[in-house]
Amino acid sequence: MSRVLVIAEHDGSILNGSTARAISCAKELGVDGIDIVVLAADGAAVADQAAAIAGVDKVVLVKNPANEHAVAALLAPQIQEIASDYSHVFAPSTTFGKDLLPRVAALLGVPQISDIMRVENATTFDRPIFAGNAVVTVEAAEGIVVGTVRTASYPVAENGGSASIEAREVSAELPAHTRYVSLATGGGEGRPDLQAAATVVSGGRGVGSEENFGVIYGLADKLGAAVGASRAAVDAGFIPNDHQVGQTGKIIAPDLYLAFGISGAIQHLAGIKDAGTIVAVNKDGDAPIFEIADFGLVGDLFEVIEELQKAL
Ligand SMILES: Cc1cc2nc3c(=O)[nH]c(=O)nc-3n(C[C@H](O)[C@H](O)[C@H](O)COP(=O)(O)OP(=O)(O)OC[C@H]3O[C@@H](n4cnc5c(N)ncnc54)[C@H](O)[C@@H]3O)c2cc1C
């Protein structure tokens, strides 16, 4: 029997939307069942949210104080133990999944299929290469198929399900070499998750300084949006690198992407190819971002944001 186990991404109380995107991919496999595993210290609320996703058969809840924080070194052996009941183990291709799944694959002794963007059949998948400029079809090796799902390629699976929730004890020995110390984030507090947000306001080198990024945060807060950035803005120290969008940053698919002072280098565009509507503001009318923008405005970003703030 073939079943897929999708690893839930959560913060202890809220299920991240990336999990429901991975479920949309899992549905394309044509397997006999789709389960979600929630590894948490408590996890009851997260399990309830996971159980509500349509198409999910069962939520496996692994409660363990060691799971209070998502430490990949501790989660991986637990998933390895549960994985023996499954033909596939999937996780979203977010920072969480990219951190965790290679360890799971290594423990299971199989290669990982990264960034699945299309399912050809249960063992054959399409994934982007060369910053999304080419697509390669790969076939999984013998054994359990371990894969990360490119969340920008899949919609959030709808709610309406009522999966059963099953508590599971895991006896796997957890390593003592890695422990949680603290989590430091910059600029993301209280704002939507960049990879799950419907609207993203992003700034580039053209914003000019860390202080100037205040206008980007201000607009994002007015719109209830997440804040993104180009690599040049990150490298210049304007904003922490967990905001970077692009080939070596985050791949996102918001409904609306607002780019201020971003030229539109190919590596940046790789991160926003699946955005619904792209709006670009740049003082250079020849900036390449205008070639892919749905709406473009040639002008000074600070003047435009000031006008927008007045209008909102
Ligand atoms: C292997 C590799 C991986 C990379 N990965 C990434 C990645 O993941 N993400 C990424 O973003 N980049 C990535 N890059 C870097 C990428 O090539 C570009 O250097 C970078 O995206 C440029 O950022 P930018 O558009 O902010 O800066 P610039 O290219 O310097 O553009 C700044 C823009 O701001 C405009 N501007 C200036 N002042 C104003 C103003 N007042 N009002 C309006 N507009 C203004 C300018 O006209 C200009 O177009 C990568 C590069 C390599 C080689």
Side-chain angles (χ1 to χ4, degrees), residues 205 230-231 244-248 261 263 267-268 282 300-301:
R205 197 191 330 244
S230 70
R231 176 156 153 187
Q244 184 179 315
V245 171
Q247 180 188 341
T248 45
S263 60
Q267 296 89 354
H268 187 81
N282 196 303
D300 177 72
L301 71 94

Side-chain angles (χ1 to χ4, degrees), residues 68-287:
E68 182 166 6
H69 304 285
V71 179
L74 305 184
L75 300 183
Q78 301 175 65
I79 296 162
Q80 178 196 13
E81 187 176 319
I82 301 168
S84 56
D85 298 342
Y86 293 90
S87 55
H88 296 71
V89 177
F90 277 7
S93 189
T94 54
T95 306
F96 166 79
K98 286 179 183 173
D99 184 32
L100 174 59
L101 227 58
R103 285 176 183 270
V104 174
L107 289 172
L108 292 170
V110 294
Q112 175 183 293
I113 311 249
S114 303
D115 284 334
I116 295 169
M117 61 183 291
R118 210 163 21 243
V119 174
E120 299 283 348
N121 60 50
T123 52
T124 313
F125 307 91
D126 292 347
R127 62 173 300 257
I129 54 169
F130 300 128
N133 289 305
V135 174
V136 66
T137 302
V138 289
E139 203 171 318
E142 285 269 304
I144 299 175
V145 180
V146 173
T148 58
V149 175
R150 186 176 185 272
T151 52
S153 300
Y154 288 93
V156 172
E158 286 182 11
N159 273 352
S162 55
S164 59
I165 299 176
E166 180 187 291
R168 168 124 189 209
E169 295 282 329
V170 173
S171 57
E173 201 178 314
L174 305 188
H177 54 61
T178 307
R179 67 191 164 83
Y180 175 85
V181 176
S182 65
L183 177 68
T185 58
E189 305 87 352
R191 297 193 173 91
D193 176 44
L194 180 56
Q195 283 182 288
T199 305
V200 173
V201 180
S202 218
R205 197 191 330 244
V207 175
S209 68
E210 188 180 359
E211 298 72 52
N212 286 356
F213 244 84
V215 300
I216 301 289
Y217 289 122
L219 182 60
D221 291 345
K222 231 357 166 354
L223 296 170
V227 174
S230 70
R231 176 156 153 187
V234 168
D235 288 350
F238 301 169
I239 181 165
N241 74 350
D242 49 339
H243 292 270
Q244 184 179 315
V245 171
Q247 180 188 341
T248 45
K250 288 177 173 150
I251 309 285
I252 59 174
D255 298 334
L256 177 62
Y257 186 74
L258 300 157
F260 292 94
I262 294 177
S263 60
I266 190 163
Q267 296 89 354
H268 187 81
L269 302 185
I272 57 170
K273 276 195 166 73
D274 297 289
T277 301
I278 297 174
V279 178
V281 178
N282 196 303
K283 66 179 184 188
D284 175 6
D286 292 328

